[in-house]
Each structure stands twice: as structure tokens, then as C-alpha cells.
Amino acid sequence: MSSNKLLLGLAGAAMLAGSMVVAPPVQAEDSIFVPMLTYRTGPFAGSGTPIMDGMHDYFTMLNERDGGIGGVMLEIEECETAYNAQKGVECYESVKDRDPVVINPYSTGITLQLIPKAPVDEIPILSMGYGLSATAVGESFPWTFNAPSTYWSQMSGIIRYIEAQGDGIAGQKIGFIYLDVGYGREPIPLLDELASEMGFEVVKIPVGVKDMQNQSSHWLQVRRERPDWMIMWGWGAMNPTAIKEAAKINYPMDHFIGVWWSGGNVDVTPAGEGAVGYLSANFHGTGTDFPAIQDIITHVVEAGKSLADPDTVGDNFYNRGVANAVATAEAIRTAQQVTGVSVVTGVEMREGLENLNITAERLTEIGLEGFMNPMQITCEDHAGAHPIYIQQWDGENWNRVSDWIEPMSDRVRPMLEAAAEAYLADKPEWQTQTCN
Amino acid sequence: MFYREAGQFKTNYRTDQAVFPIFQDKIGVLVILAFLFLVVPFWFNDFWLNSIMIPTLIFSLAAIGLNLLLGYAGQISLGTGGFMGVGAYSCYKLTTIFPDINILVHILLSGFFAAIVGILFGIPSLRIKGFYLAIATLASQFFLEWSFGRIGWLYNYNPSGAIEVSTKRMFGIAITGPHATSLTRYLIVLSIVVVLTWVASNLVRGRIGRAWMAVRDMDIAAELIGIRLLQAKLTAFAISSYFAGVAGALMVFMWLGAAEVESFDINHSFLILFMVVIGGTGSLIGSFMGAAFIWVLPIFLRAAPRVLGVDISAATVEHFNFMIVGGLIIFFLIVEPNGIARLWQIGKEKLRRWPFPY
């Protein structure tokens, strides 16, 4: 009896909570709403947490130090997705009526779900260095941005790096180990195309999400195939496992290159000495030797307003989050300048993103001199063919071992256009734009 | 006092075997339907329709599918996620091969493909039972997941490996894709779920359903009284998979708008299984309750801190969420192992005696 009454009470409480949710949350008129889709839980939390910390802290720093952007405070709110596409869509639905300025999905899977929704809801998507490569074609995807580089450009840059090393690339065997989801499969069309053209061989080794932490069979295959180079498109718990397994079979680490999502400090530290020499692509600086990062430390971390472990500030992925926040913040600033509206929403933000131009001078101005390559987005090119560089782990820090490597834009751009056309082929009502 | 059947005499078999033999139940169901069809569309906002009502209905349908198999026919299956995937992928293929046919026809047809696959993987059930069958269906789950990821034809060789929904119209109104309003999609999902639930309720009351229950209670005895096990078990797998397949197609076309292999992974199968177990095996209304409990509770818990004005991080809420939902599942299983549906039934019996219980 009593337990049943308790249940009834619980049910009643649930109903009450439900009825409260119906009322739309009151929002301050004079703030810019920046939702963050985060994953600090689940098997991808290792990669996700530092990025979310970096983003969160940079935005908070702008609020604390400058009082927001252009005098308008940012309202930052996290929604936990656990890298799960369904939860991601749920998060999107819960924020979309509150005039979010931009959505950073932080998952290629979630990005794919949101791309068709963006033009209808008029909320731009900034998938910074991930997502659907074809969305770089601004004419076909007015609402989606993937600067600084698509996966295809990045892959072409990595291939260029390999080509420039001792033995060149023709006749080499390249192993491609990837997380077997949309994200990992994304660069395959380009890799296949370049393989036939440049005369190298590709061995593809997919790692299922379930096998992320159990890759012994995959690396057995690597041992059998003996590829000259390994390229990894990994994420979450896959990265440290792969690096540990590679160390275990004595694979030469300086011939093992990770995508820029496979270069976190959390990815290399578990392998200890074995990871020394591991390479990874990148597009921004690491460490805390930048005035803006120092500002984050003073205004946010030391003020106790950060969720981050102070030791992780300046880590590769933490700075990735900062870079993402910089792009978002600069786009908001550009939107304010271009449209003259100070409390910008999605429509103005789209203008801001399309006119985004972070010059070297501007980077110095915001205290991030040399942090990243100047970044420009245009109406035609929502990714911008920005160069990448390769960094190497020395057991303590990441060191830059290459110059800025330009992607093979002449090769990649036609493929992007073809892919965009294929994507739109069965969508007659798709909203496109003409760039002048 | 009000909820009693005194005075309602059954004078023929037809009334005695009705879906709702008690008059008040009939009114109750009509009120609920009227609420869902007439009140919800006007009162609820987009978030409610899109993130709560539509998914709950779709998961209810999948849970009904699994319940037919697990609760009525007694065959354990861990392959529901895979069967839902078969429905979704075949619906996707149907829409690309026959783009001019109405999408609703495709959704209902796609269930048949799931049914065929269900029959194939149901064949082992003739020889193996219980946990061993669960493991055999687990194999189907992994095989299907592998197919969705590896057979390029299934996703039209899309580089991202995902299936996407394009805008389809009926009478000039967008019913799928980003242009379809959540209201349209909600009404379509609701109609399909209501019709299929009605079909299911008639199935389980009829010859087929009674054959399933006989097999569930003791298959040798069922065989001795003349029930063909082959037929009974395979129809259970087929019909259960049909429901799962339609639910999968609805999930992609009416709710998510795009899907990858991960949308149909093993966790998805477990989710549906939990819904059935929490809701109550062998009960259709339990499927709805289980789906609502498992799907809606975490959303409320996630929204609660913001509504109450408590400032805790989203990740902490998520951790609490896991603990609270997990704790409640254990609590329910201890207090009422037969699920929420059993509580509902007890409640109804108490109501009959109210206000003079004995």
C-alpha cells in the first residue's frame, strides 16, 4: 500500500515537473544565446571535456573581461549529448526556440542530422573542422560552415606531408585506421582518389565503436600488412587505445599521423614513453603562452568559474575549444558590424560567419598572435582552404615539426562541388544561394 | 463508486469479448484519444511534440512489437534495434527507388522487409530457448549493424554512410523532411500508432495471440493441444519485427530526419527491452507506460534544474540522471516485478471497490 502511494506521489511529481517545462524559459532581452552541445559523459568524454572547457572558458572570459561582445553579454548554456545523435537532436530542439546565435554540434553524426534543419530554422551551424566536407560549398549550403578546413583538405595536407618526407609517396603502402562512423568514413573518397592518382596503396582498417578499446586484432592486421605510414581518424577512447597498441607492436611512431581530433594530450599520455614521436595534424597553437589564454587563467580558471582542471589549460584540445570559441566570437563581432544589430540572432550570425575574416592583426589584437593561421570565410567557400601543420609529441609537449602545409585545393574543390551536387540531387526544395 | 461494471450485462459473446468490456474503459480510451488528437496539437509547443510526444509514440510502437514477441509469445529477443534498422533502411531504399509513391505507403511496406528478416532470425527459436535464444538474436543484431555499415547499396553509397530524409508532400503539405512541421509529423505518427495498436490488441485476443500465450506458458503442452510451434513462433517473430520495422521507419522519417548505423545499435535494443520490462511484459498499455517512463523521465530530470533555477552543469545533471533513472528501474523491479502495467491494473481494481474496500 504505502509503496504504491509513494509511486503515485512520484508520478504526480513527474507530472508537475512536466507542466513546469511547458512554460518557455524567460530569456533576457539583451544577451546573445550561445548554446553548447557538449559531451562530458560517455566513451567520448575524454576527447570532449577539454574542448568544451576551452570553449566555455573563452566565452566566460569575454563576459568577465569585456562584458561580452560589443557590449552584449553572452548567455552560455551547455546541453549534454554524450556524442549521441538522438540526444543531440533533442538538445537542438530544446534550444532552437530561444534564438540561438549558432550551433556547434561537435559531432559529425549530429551535424548530419542538423544540416537540413538549419535553413528552415534559420540557425547557422559552425562545424569547425569536422562535419560534412561538402558543406564547404557555400552556394549549396548557405547555413553551414566548416572552417578552417574540411576533412578532405586536411587529408590532402597529410598526404602532402608524407610526400615531402624521405621516400616520397609513390609505391608506399598507407594504412588508414578510422572510427567506423560517418566521421571516420568521411575522408575515404578523397583518399581513394589520391591513391590511384599518386600511386600509393591504401589499407583500410575500420574500428567499430564497440571495438574502440579493444584493437588488438586491428593492429595484428597492421603488423601483417606492414604499411609504411599509418593515418588515423580516431576519436574518444579509440585514440589512446590505438597509440598504445601501435607502441606495443613497435610501429614507428614518427610514421603514425593522427587527424587533428586524434592529437589530444589525453590520447598520448596513457602510452607513456611509447607515444614519443607520434604525429598529429593541427591548425592552432598549444600551450598557455598567449595573452588571451593568460586572461582565461586570471579571469576564469583562478576565479573558480571554470570546470576545467587547471593543469589541462593549454592542452591541445583545450586550445581547440578556445579556437572554436574565437571563431564564434569573431563571427558574432563581424555580424554586429555588418548588420548593425547588437543582439544578433541566427540570421545576422550567418552574415557574420560568411564575412568572417580573422586577420593576423586581429589575432594579435585579441591576444592570440601566432595562435592560428589567419582565417577567412567567403560566400563561396565556407571552409576556406586553410593550411595545416604537423606536430610531434615528445613525451611532454607537442612540437611543431612542419611548416604550414597548403591543402590540394585544386584537387579537393571539384570533389567538394560534386559531393554537394550529389547531396542536393534528391532535394528539389533545398535552399541555395548565389554568390556574386 | 463510478468505476464499476455492475449493471453491464453481457448477453452475447461479441460484447463479452470486446476490447474494452467495461463501459467506463471505453469512455476513458475515447477521452485519451480525443486529448491526443485534439488537445495536444494546440497546447503543446514544438519541443514537446518533437522531443517528447513523437519519440514516445515511436518507442511505444517498437515496445509493442517486442512485447508481442517477449510478453505474449515468450521468445526473448535482443535484436529489436536491428529490426528497426531494417525498417528504416528499407523505407529509405523504397523512397529512392519509387520516389513518386506516397511515403506513408513506404513506411507501412518497410515493416514487411523487417518481418522477413525477423522470420529468418526467428528460425533458431524452434530449437533453442531462453538465454540461448537471446544470444542467437544478439547475433542478428550484430549482423544487421554490420550490414548497415558495410553494404553501400543500403545507403546509396553516401560518403557519410548516413541515410537522409528528403521532403515528401501529401496534398501539398510537407510530411517528411525539414519543412514538415512537428504537428503534421505528430498527427501522422499518432494515427499510425493508434491503428497498429488496435491491430495488436485484436491479434493478442484472437487465435494467433492465444496460440502465442500457450507457447509462452509451456510449449510442449501447446504442441500437445494442437498448436503448431513452427507457425506460432515464426508469426510471433514476423509480426513483432513488422512493428519494430515500422517504428524504425517512423523514427528516421518522422522524427530524426537522418540516421547512421549507431542509431540502431545494441543499446537501442536494450532501451526497448527495458521499456517492455519496466512497462510490463504481456501488456499493450504497459508498452506505452514503459516507453514514456524510459524516454520522458530523463528529459524532465534534465530540464528540472533549469526550471527550478538551480545552477549545476549539464554533465553533472547527466550523471545524476543515470543514477536516478537506474535507481528507479531497480526500485520498480523490486516493488512491482510485473511492471507499471501491473500497478495500473491494481489501481483499477482498487478503484472498483472504492470507497468501500475490503
Side-chain angles (χ1 to χ4, degrees):
Chain A
M1 257 312 263
S2 62
S3 62
N4 286 342
K5 273 184 186 157
L6 188 59
L7 282 173
L8 273 173
L10 276 174
M15 299 285 270
L16 200 67
S19 56
M20 286 191 286
V21 181
V22 186
V26 186
Q27 198 177 341
E29 283 289 309
D30 50 354
S31 66
I32 296 173
F33 178 42
V34 189
M36 286 173 55
L37 270 54
T38 62
Y39 35 102
R40 296 170 184 275
T41 64
F44 298 93
S47 297
T49 309
I51 294 181
M52 308 318 166
D53 286 339
M55 269 181 89
H56 178 272
D57 291 358
Y58 186 78
F59 287 136
T60 315
M61 188 271 283
L62 290 181
N63 274 345
E64 297 290 319
R65 190 191 63 183
D66 309 341
I69 300 169
V72 186
M73 291 290 270
L74 302 174
E75 188 192 348
I76 314 150
E77 189 179 294
E78 295 196 1
C79 186
E80 178 69 25
T81 69
Y83 199 68
N84 174 312
Q86 288 165 22
K87 276 194 194 161
V89 172
E90 185 205 311
C91 280
Y92 175 79
E93 293 291 340
S94 72
V95 299
K96 82 168 185 199
D97 293 332
R98 299 168 58 198
D99 282 336
V101 71
V102 65
I103 297 282
N104 286 290
Y106 258 100
S107 143
T108 297
I110 300 174
T111 311
L112 291 175
Q113 311 252 10
L114 298 187
I115 287 169
K117 295 183 199 280
V120 180
D121 297 331
E122 301 194 321
I123 302 166
I125 295 171
L126 174 59
S127 53
M128 189 166 179
Y130 55 92
L132 187 70
S133 294
T135 54
V137 182
E139 289 103 330
S140 307
F141 295 93
W143 290 89
T144 320
F145 299 83
N146 53 355
S149 177
T150 66
Y151 282 137
W152 293 1
S153 297
Q154 184 178 175
M155 178 58 99
S156 73
I158 292 175
I159 296 290
R160 272 216 167 137
Y161 173 80
I162 295 177
E163 194 185 15
Q165 304 307 305
D167 300 327
I169 198 161
Q172 300 266 18
K173 189 190 255 188
I174 291 179
F176 178 58
I177 186 161
Y178 61 99
L179 184 63
D180 196 10
V181 296
Y183 149 64
R185 286 191 287 259
E186 188 65 31
I188 290 178
L190 181 92
L191 195 60
D192 286 340
E193 179 105 357
L194 290 183
S196 59
E197 199 171 301
M198 301 173 78
F200 61 89
E201 190 190 337
V202 179
V203 183
K204 290 176 205 131
I205 306 167
V207 179
V209 174
K210 281 184 288 295
D211 298 333
M212 282 201 307
Q213 281 159 297
N214 175 25
Q215 296 177 28
S216 36
S217 64
H218 306 89
W219 287 91
L220 211 60
Q221 194 186 343
V222 172
R223 219 158 114 177
R224 206 170 45 237
E225 299 273 359
R226 297 175 172 281
D228 300 294
W229 288 85
M230 284 296 293
I231 299 177
M232 170 156 76
W233 240 248
W235 191 227
M238 173 178 167
N239 294 335
T241 315
I243 294 167
K244 264 193 283 185
E245 289 289 340
K248 210 187 278 174
I249 67 162
N250 283 325
Y251 189 85
M253 278 295 163
D254 54 353
H255 280 60
F256 185 13
I257 309 178
V259 66
W260 58 42
W261 302 116
S262 298
N265 294 38
V266 282
D267 298 335
V268 279
T269 35
E273 282 297 301
V276 172
Y278 172 73
L279 303 165
S280 135
N282 208 346
F283 66 90
H284 58 75
T286 55
T288 55
D289 296 337
F290 300 97
I293 309 263
Q294 289 301 326
D295 281 349
I296 291 180
I297 294 175
T298 13
H299 291 280
V300 185
V301 181
E302 284 173 359
K305 294 195 167 81
S306 168
L307 290 168
D309 175 355
D311 293 341
T312 62
V313 176
D315 277 7
N316 190 13
F317 279 178
Y318 184 90
N319 286 11
R320 181 80 37 86
V322 172
N324 199 143
V326 168
T328 310
E330 289 307 302
I332 293 175
R333 199 182 70 103
T334 314
Q336 288 173 336
Q337 287 170 349
V338 174
T339 63
V341 183
S342 56
V343 185
V344 291
T345 58
V347 183
E348 290 90 23
M349 183 64 172
R350 201 195 76 78
E351 297 287 320
L353 281 161
E354 211 153 67
N355 294 302
L356 182 68
N357 186 9
I358 308 178
T359 57
E361 295 79 53
R362 179 64 192 158
L363 281 171
T364 315
E365 226 173 283
I366 57 175
L368 289 168
E369 186 178 7
F371 181 71
M372 53 198 226
N373 214 52
M375 189 163 103
Q376 187 174 13
I377 298 178
T378 60
C379 173
E380 292 85 13
D381 195 347
H382 281 190
H386 295 102
I388 61 162
Y389 74 88
I390 303 288
Q391 59 182 9
Q392 189 166 36
W393 179 251
D394 67 0
E396 296 277 323
N397 289 305
W398 291 102
N399 301 309
R400 192 178 284 207
V401 293
S402 81
D403 288 332
W404 288 102
I405 305 170
E406 292 290 335
M408 308 178 193
S409 304
D410 49 329
R411 301 278 317 110
V412 174
R413 182 71 191 181
M415 286 183 70
L416 289 173
E417 277 165 9
E421 203 172 308
Y423 184 92
L424 301 195
D426 59 343
K427 300 179 184 67
E429 303 185 15
W430 192 266
Q431 183 199 334
T432 56
Q433 65 175 356
T434 323
C435 296
N436 36 14
Chain B
M1 189 157 48
F2 305 106
Y3 184 73
R4 60 198 312 167
E5 54 202 279
Q8 300 178 25
F9 300 111
K10 311 283 187 291
T11 49
N12 53 29
Y13 283 116
R14 207 180 146 73
T15 48
D16 193 38
Q17 293 174 350
V19 186
F20 302 107
I22 303 173
F23 181 67
Q24 286 87 339
D25 278 356
K26 253 182 228 169
I27 294 176
V29 167
L30 286 178
V31 167
I32 290 173
L33 283 180
F35 176 77
L36 289 175
F37 273 104
L38 302 175
V39 178
V40 169
F42 298 102
W43 268 21
F44 285 28
N45 61 16
D46 260 11
F47 175 71
W48 265 84
L49 290 178
N50 230 337
S51 294
I52 295 179
M53 296 309 289
I54 294 178
T56 306
L57 285 169
I58 291 172
F59 283 127
S60 303
L61 189 63
I64 287 175
L66 182 59
N67 220 334
L68 292 179
L69 188 64
L70 178 68
Y72 287 95
Q75 310 296 309
I76 297 180
S77 166
L78 292 177
T80 321
F83 296 139
M84 287 176 80
V86 174
Y89 277 82
S90 49
C91 193
Y92 175 69
K93 284 309 286 185
L94 284 171
T95 51
T96 48
I97 297 171
F98 308 105
D100 297 329
I101 295 177
N102 192 319
I103 178 78
L104 297 183
V105 176
H106 286 320
I107 288 177
L108 293 174
L109 277 181
S110 59
F112 286 104
F113 292 90
I116 294 168
V117 177
I119 290 175
L120 276 179
F121 286 102
I123 291 172
S125 68
L126 302 173
R127 284 293 177 89
I128 49 181
K129 288 176 197 165
F131 290 120
Y132 304 98
L133 179 62
I135 291 166
T137 54
L138 199 59
S140 84
Q141 172 71 36
F142 289 128
F143 172 77
L144 291 173
E145 260 183 64
W146 177 88
S147 315
F148 301 147
R150 286 279 167 279
I151 303 176
W153 180 78
L154 284 176
Y155 50 87
N156 288 352
Y157 303 99
N158 203 330
S160 62
I163 54 175
E164 284 136 4
V165 177
S166 52
T167 304
K168 301 271 177 209
R169 289 173 183 278
M170 191 165 77
F171 311 124
I173 303 167
I175 55 172
T176 62
H179 292 280
T181 60
S182 34
L183 183 60
T184 332
R185 286 181 286 121
Y186 165 73
L187 288 175
I188 290 171
V189 171
L190 181 63
S191 311
I192 292 180
V193 171
V194 167
V195 169
L196 285 180
T197 310
W198 175 75
V199 170
S201 73
N202 278 302
L203 269 177
V204 297
R205 288 184 313 135
R207 185 181 57 82
I208 300 176
R210 279 177 294 180
W212 288 346
M213 285 184 260
V215 172
R216 170 191 69 191
D217 292 341
M218 191 176 184
D219 58 354
I220 295 177
E223 206 171 6
L224 283 173
I225 57 169
I227 290 167
R228 275 186 285 181
L229 289 189
L230 174 81
Q231 224 175 42
K233 285 183 176 176
L234 290 188
T235 48
F237 266 98
I239 293 170
S240 154
S241 309
Y242 179 86
F243 276 73
V246 173
L250 286 177
M251 184 173 123
V252 175
F253 281 76
M254 294 291 162
W255 176 35
L256 292 175
E260 293 181 282
V261 191
E262 287 67 44
S263 308
F264 304 106
D265 66 358
I266 180 76
N267 292 330
H268 206 79
S269 297
F270 282 128
L271 190 74
I272 310 286
L273 185 66
F274 292 154
M275 287 172 182
V276 171
V277 172
I278 296 288
T281 49
S283 156
L284 294 181
I285 188 137
S287 308
F288 285 93
M289 294 173 172
F293 182 84
I294 298 270
W295 182 257
V296 180
L297 187 66
I299 296 182
F300 282 169
L301 289 179
R302 230 169 278 153
R306 207 186 67 215
V307 173
L308 300 175
V310 186
D311 188 28
I312 42 177
S313 81
T316 320
V317 174
E318 196 65 21
H319 288 300
F320 272 116
N321 212 341
F322 279 125
M323 288 189 272
I324 294 173
V325 173
L328 278 179
I329 288 175
I330 296 172
F331 173 79
F332 264 101
L333 289 182
I334 292 171
V335 173
E336 190 46 87
N338 293 322
I340 307 175
R342 175 76 187 140
L343 288 175
W344 176 250
Q345 203 185 349
I346 293 172
K348 280 208 312 192
E349 271 160 26
K350 286 205 189 307
L351 201 58
R352 274 188 202 185
R353 294 182 209 122
W354 186 83
F356 303 112
Y358 47 84

